[in-house]
Amino acid sequence: SGGAHSTVKRREFIKVSSLLGAGAVTSPAFLLGGCAAKPLPGTGTITSTPTICDMCFWKCAGHIYKEDGELWKITGNDDDLHSGGRLCTRGTGGPGAYLDRDRLKKPLMRVEVDGRQTFREVSWDEALDFIAGKMRSIAETHGPEKMLMLNHGAGSAHFRHLLRAYGSDSRAEPAFAQCRGPRDVGFRLTVGESASSPERTDMANARCIVLLGSHIGENLHNGQVQTLAEALNKDVTLITVDPRFSVPAGKSKYWLPIKPGTDIALLLAWMNVLIDEGLYDKDYVERYTMGFEQLKAHVRDYTPEWVYLETGIKPDVIRATAREMAMASPATVVHPGRHAVWYGDDTQRSRAIAMLNVLLGSWNRKGGFYIPEKVSLPNYPLPDYPRPKYKTADAYPGKWPFAGQGVTNGVIDASVGDDAFFKGWLVYGTNLPQTIPGVEEKLKAAANSLELVVVVETMPSEMTGYADVILPECTYLERYDDLRNSGERHPSLALRMPAFEPMYESKPGWWMAKQLGHRLGLDKYFPWEDYSEKLDWQLRQVGSSLEEMQKIGVKNFPRKTPLHLEENRPVSFRTPSRKIELYSQQLADAGFDPMPVYTPPDPVPKGFYRLNYGRMPAHTFGKTTNNPLLFQLSPENQLWVNPLVASEWDLRSGDYVRLGSPNGVVSNKIRVRVTERIGPDSVFMAHGFGHKSKRLRLTAGVGADDSTLMSNIKIDPIMGGTGMRANFVTFVKERAAGAAS
Ligand SMILES: Nc1nc2c(c(=O)[nH]1)N[C@H]1C(S)=C(S)[C@@H](COP(=O)(O)OP(=O)(O)OC[C@H]3O[C@@H](n4cnc5c(=O)[nH]c(N)nc54)[C@H](O)[C@@H]3O)O[C@H]1N2
Ligand SMILES: Nc1nc2c(c(=O)[nH]1)N[C@H]1C(S)=C(S)[C@@H](COP(=O)(O)OP(=O)(O)OC[C@H]3O[C@@H](n4cnc5c(=O)[nH]c(N)nc54)[C@H](O)[C@@H]3O)O[C@H]1N2
Ligand code: SF4
Ligand SMILES: [Mo]
């Protein structure tokens, strides 16, 4: 029943105070113990230190406040246009990462005691000497390129620098092949550029916004939530395509509860309507694109009537929403999404999204998308890196020709066996066992083949269990990292600096990289004693200084280039034809469909339900579930179950169940939440729970992990993405399961 829903009062969207504000998080004081001995709050000396939040990857700038040297609170930086001067719930709970009692405290090395492997605490010298020795031997025996980095997060830049100085630029991150890869590749193939991170949508000026599965509001990328809320306050027409009644679905004029896996059909039908009714931006299409005639012929058969049968969205709703988009264009944003790895045809779906935006004339136009700009910040002068003989993709020749960056699935496969391509791993800030479905057996095999596995972590994550050496990094509140300089609407720099001394024996990443560099004879790449010297040098090149940034935290710079396309100026897009490519010769030449083709999703096996998953506001994946402040707010994930399904299985809200996958994997217990907001063909859970590492004492064993239940992975042949949405589960009831505990 794809009808219009306008009963919900729009201005209630995301109460900023409850979703983004500080109010939701209890003061860290309860964790510190011994509060009674402290003077009354409000009587001490207050100091503040600038930081960049690291609770997710959106990089909001803030300030840590201390009273008499003790942690008081963290707030947003008012000058930060990127975050609107606010932190979200997770950001406000950031100090919990610093206070977490389960943090890694000392370097650890794998040793064998009485035939059993265990970790032993070692000194930094012992750990670093061991790693440098292994890295030397890998470089001499196999070549430095055989040392691979797997990474996530800003702090990995220090280790990338180290590895490039050593001679390797081999690397891959789950944030590509398990996240935004298909979107970036789909947009690049079409308009010549990616949709960027942060996403370059001009939602604040949009008059119509279309969300396909992007559950903004549960997906809590701060600045983006605020611009959507701003648009809703200006009465934007919001169209949400989501099989689940998501937070934005509840604020939409049109909620389209699409049959999962059929989005490409809907996108093609929308293009069919725009072309058929002459509603597309003819001038824009003529001026900037190639392949329109082929597209017109291609979408001819994807009529709303035919597509209704696939998607469940009624023809009149498909037409009405297409007309809404056209009416508002070019101030229409069809959001590119972010976690785009769904059904294995994701690059093509992302291309269809890009093409729809192009028909609406919204790419690089006001209210559609903007052109991001960075501060031109010079690099610190250093010797050139040696030129690697191999690039990452040489590990899996001929596969995924348009990936454009390392593919995690490929590099992991290329790390298994005696003749494996890779010989050593440096893993930074990524928890592969939870992040890459079905990877555990391969990780075990890789760990057995590799000569060196180093894991740089703050927490005893599941990944640390595969390491030879675990290096404890201090948290973002205890260190310098590189300046934030993202391509955005407003160019700006932001500083992360230590607000506290590193706790225990943890150390900042830049220090580890320099120490390893020293042991590898690479001192010339690390000429600073302290990383702040490098930052100060860079800041002075743009008329600022470390001293200034330590006071202000964020510095805004004027734009030098236009925010949008300039009418009547020739434009050259970064595609082979220099035009926007509605028809992709590149794809055709490589044997792929030159225009997106719809294929129906796998049917749901009898007795099973689609496994739907996503974000919850209070956590970032499994990275924050052990954070004592955020744990308090959201201690477990819940399983959304439709009332019909609940009655069929005799389930009530609050019951615990286990889920089973078609190949016999049974999950941890998860609490049921019976709700109409999910259809009877699916169940839904937030990703990031069901931790196995017992040393994560708050969160271990709590809730279920979607990754372990995913057995039907759809790899995108164009760029190697891990499609995760074609998975099915059934209930394994507690009593029926018998031996469950
Ligand atoms: N099943 C399933 N899989 C998914 C997803 C899903 O929804 N479901 N989502 C996908 C998406 S969108 C993404 S982006 C990826 C993300 O997956 P990952 O790249 O694995 O990222 P995180 O889960 O954030 O893992 C961060 C790890 O870094 C550690 N860490 C935290 N802070 C620091 C620090 O300051 N320094 C260091 N060295 N380490 C730190 C944390 O303890 C944690 O173990 O997962 C993908 N995988
Ligand atoms: N609080 C919080 N916010 C986060 C994160 C976090 O961990 N916590 N992670 C950040 C990261 S790295 C990412 S990548 C983003 C991810 O955020 P998004 O890109 O918004 O998330 P997805 O996981 O792709 O989408 C989830 C939504 O897609 C719907 N869906 C499922 N199947 C289909 C389908 O077939 N068609 C359609 N149209 N919809 C479908 C689900 O019901 C759900 O509402 O979130 C970011 N924001
Ligand atoms: S969105 Fe929230 S968690 Fe992410 S960086 Fe900003 S404040 Fe931190
Ligand atoms: Mo992501």
Side-chain angles (χ1 to χ4, degrees):
S1 59
H5 286 247
S6 48
T7 46
V8 186
K9 269 191 243 131
R10 292 187 192 173
R11 285 193 180 73
E12 282 177 8
F13 182 70
I14 318 242
K15 289 192 189 111
V16 166
S17 58
S18 64
L19 264 182
L20 293 171
V25 176
T26 316
S27 153
F30 84 95
L31 284 162
L32 294 169
C35 295
K38 285 194 348 187
L40 282 174
T43 58
T45 311
I46 308 291
T47 52
S48 84
T49 314
T51 187
I52 302 168
C53 181
D54 198 43
M55 299 307 285
C56 83
F57 306 94
W58 194 252
K59 301 190 186 128
C60 302
H63 278 110
I64 286 276
Y65 287 88
K66 294 192 279 189
E67 183 173 357
D68 290 336
E70 272 196 50
L71 172 61
W72 173 29
K73 66 171 180 181
I74 185 168
T75 62
N77 183 325
D78 288 336
D79 295 331
D80 188 26
L81 299 165
H82 170 66
S83 63
R86 293 197 194 101
L87 301 180
C88 76
T89 309
R90 295 166 297 156
T92 309
Y98 163 70
L99 296 165
D100 196 320
R101 291 168 194 208
D102 296 337
R103 277 176 60 173
L104 294 169
K105 299 178 176 70
K106 290 183 173 184
L108 298 169
M109 268 174 71
R110 181 183 295 272
V111 288
E112 219 169 85
V113 180
D114 303 330
R116 280 195 60 204
Q117 295 198 349
T118 174
F119 286 108
R120 177 169 65 86
E121 288 181 354
V122 296
S123 68
W124 274 102
D125 277 331
E126 192 176 347
L128 296 167
D129 287 345
F130 176 85
I131 297 169
K134 288 279 186 189
M135 283 178 70
R136 266 184 200 281
S137 117
I138 288 172
E140 279 158 20
T141 322
H142 311 288
E145 303 86 350
K146 304 304 170 73
M147 187 74 204
L148 170 78
M149 180 162 87
L150 288 144
N151 63 288
H152 198 186
S156 63
H158 306 296
F159 293 92
R160 183 170 183 217
H161 173 60
L162 170 71
L163 286 191
R164 290 185 79 185
Y166 161 83
S168 172
D169 200 16
S170 305
R171 70 200 163 95
E173 53 177 350
F176 179 75
Q178 280 70 37
C179 179
R180 34 176 186 78
R183 172 193 94 176
D184 290 351
V185 174
F187 270 68
R188 204 165 277 136
L189 283 166
T190 312
V191 294
E193 279 174 85
S194 86
S196 306
S197 175
E199 287 77 9
R200 56 201 284 185
T201 59
D202 196 5
M203 287 200 291
N205 294 311
R207 294 193 295 133
C208 177
I209 296 172
V210 184
L211 303 175
L212 291 116
S214 301
H215 53 334
I216 299 173
E218 289 154 294
N219 151 7
L220 210 66
H221 276 164
N222 191 352
Q224 176 165 253
V225 181
Q226 292 177 44
T227 45
L228 179 59
E230 217 177 294
L232 284 164
N233 280 336
K234 289 193 266 181
D235 275 339
V236 75
T237 300
L238 183 58
I239 299 167
T240 299
V241 183
D242 196 314
R244 189 177 61 99
F245 192 65
S246 62
V247 167
K251 312 302 162 189
S252 297
K253 178 165 178 193
Y254 298 89
W255 169 43
L256 278 50
I258 194 168
K259 182 178 157 206
T262 64
D263 293 70
I264 292 184
L266 176 64
L267 288 157
L268 292 167
W270 274 335
M271 292 195 252
N272 170 301
V273 175
L274 293 180
I275 295 174
D276 189 50
E277 300 189 5
L279 298 174
Y280 66 98
D281 189 329
K282 295 178 196 78
D283 187 47
Y284 187 95
V285 166
E286 179 136 333
R287 227 191 272 199
Y288 301 123
T289 75
M290 55 84 71
F292 177 73
E293 287 307 320
Q294 285 110 314
L295 177 66
K296 186 175 172 181
H298 179 66
V299 300
R300 192 168 292 141
D301 294 339
Y302 292 98
T303 59
E305 282 67 24
W306 186 82
V307 164
Y308 165 52
L309 302 175
E310 296 297 311
T311 60
I313 309 299
K314 291 199 178 113
D316 59 321
V317 175
I318 296 177
R319 290 205 169 83
T321 44
R323 288 172 196 147
E324 292 268 13
M325 287 180 226
M327 212 148 54
S329 73
T332 299
V333 177
V334 186
H335 196 286
R338 187 174 181 103
H339 176 64
V341 282
W342 294 5
Y343 300 94
D345 53 3
D346 306 302
T347 303
Q348 294 286 13
R349 186 186 64 254
S350 299
R351 225 171 94 64
I353 292 173
M355 290 156 75
L356 179 58
N357 279 301
V358 168
L359 291 186
L360 294 162
S362 68
W363 180 250
N364 292 350
R365 301 274 287 289
K366 189 170 178 199
F369 292 79
Y370 67 81
I371 303 170
E373 188 183 307
K374 284 186 179 191
V375 179
S376 38
L377 184 71
N379 287 326
Y380 190 93
L382 290 172
D384 287 341
Y385 295 122
R387 231 190 130 85
K389 274 205 279 292
Y390 302 96
K391 49 187 187 338
T392 314
D394 292 332
Y396 39 84
K399 281 189 171 168
W400 316 308
F402 294 97
Q405 78 181 66
V407 175
T408 38
N409 328 327
V411 297
I412 293 169
D413 284 344
S415 302
V416 177
D418 290 341
D419 55 354
F421 187 89
F422 292 113
K423 300 297 176 190
W425 281 8
L426 196 159
V427 183
Y428 181 97
T430 181
N431 190 22
L432 305 177
Q434 254 197 352
T435 295
I436 306 185
V439 82
E440 278 188 73
E441 289 310 312
K442 278 186 191 164
L443 281 182
K444 280 182 200 145
N448 281 329
S449 321
L450 292 162
E451 294 171 22
L452 174 67
V453 180
V454 182
V455 175
V456 185
E457 256 285 358
T458 51
M459 297 299 296
S461 66
E462 284 73 17
M463 189 62 217
T464 59
Y466 296 87
D468 299 318
V469 190
I470 305 170
L471 299 180
E473 187 169 36
C474 57
T475 66
Y476 71 106
L477 296 173
E478 302 159 284
R479 67 184 199 231
Y480 282 106
D481 274 320
D482 281 320
L483 297 162
R484 185 193 79 193
N485 183 17
S486 324
E488 280 203 73
R489 177 191 301 270
H490 309 286
S492 74
L493 296 176
L495 175 69
R496 172 181 292 163
M497 65 174 287
F500 307 100
E501 286 294 310
M503 268 217 240
Y504 315 111
E505 284 180 33
S506 65
K507 295 279 188 188
W510 70 260
W511 180 89
M512 297 178 214
K514 178 176 161 71
Q515 291 292 320
L516 285 169
H518 174 66
R519 285 164 172 78
L520 290 164
L522 302 170
D523 282 319
K524 64 179 177 178
Y525 293 97
F526 299 90
W528 43 81
E529 267 313 302
D530 191 275
Y531 206 63
S532 58
E533 296 160 31
K534 183 205 151 183
L535 303 180
D536 189 42
W537 184 91
Q538 282 187 296
L539 286 164
R540 286 177 188 282
Q541 311 311 305
V542 292
S544 179
S545 66
L546 188 66
E547 200 188 347
E548 183 190 34
M549 288 299 280
Q550 287 179 337
K551 290 195 192 99
I552 59 177
V554 171
K555 194 174 172 85
N556 293 306
F557 290 75
R559 275 191 78 102
K560 294 181 174 156
T561 58
L563 190 59
H564 296 110
L565 274 182
E566 290 177 298
E567 313 289 331
N568 306 320
R569 274 247 185 142
V571 190
S572 170
F573 294 88
R574 290 184 209 147
T575 58
S577 66
R578 302 282 151 208
K579 297 239 171 202
I580 291 174
E581 302 196 340
L582 297 174
Y583 179 92
S584 176
Q585 192 61 48
Q586 289 192 83
L587 283 175
D589 290 346
F592 299 110
D593 293 324
M595 287 170 298
V597 170
Y598 167 70
T599 40
D602 296 345
V604 185
K606 204 173 152 36
F608 282 81
Y609 305 88
R610 285 191 182 278
L611 174 62
N612 191 355
Y613 62 88
R615 313 287 164 238
M616 64 152 76
H619 287 294
T620 301
F621 315 117
K623 143 171 173 151
T624 60
T625 51
N626 203 70
N627 174 316
L629 299 174
L630 299 176
F631 172 83
Q632 252 206 345
L633 279 183
S634 279
E636 63 187 335
N637 59 350
Q638 295 188 329
L639 186 73
W640 294 28
V641 180
N642 182 274
L644 291 174
V645 179
S647 81
E648 191 174 324
W649 289 85
D650 191 21
L651 295 169
R652 266 164 228 96
S653 280
D655 287 355
Y656 281 94
V657 284
R658 290 172 196 273
L659 295 171
S661 72
N663 65 339
V665 173
V666 176
S667 77
N668 262 358
K669 287 186 290 189
I670 180 167
R671 192 190 279 269
V672 169
R673 171 180 171 190
V674 179
T675 170
E676 299 270 7
R677 290 174 62 185
I678 183 111
D681 67 336
S682 304
V683 293
F684 175 85
M685 69 170 79
H687 167 66
F689 285 84
H691 274 287
K692 288 183 185 154
S693 170
K694 293 209 170 63
R695 294 167 62 214
L696 299 169
R697 286 175 295 175
L698 286 180
T699 195
V702 177
D705 176 7
D706 56 339
S707 289
T708 57
L709 291 163
M710 293 177 176
S711 54
N712 190 27
I713 298 305
K714 304 280 192 185
I715 302 291
D716 188 324
I718 300 177
M719 52 59 69
T722 299
M724 304 186 190
R725 293 216 178 277
N727 285 284
F728 310 105
V729 290
T730 189
F731 296 95
V732 181
K733 280 196 72 180
E734 192 70 327
R735 265 162 289 141
S741 71

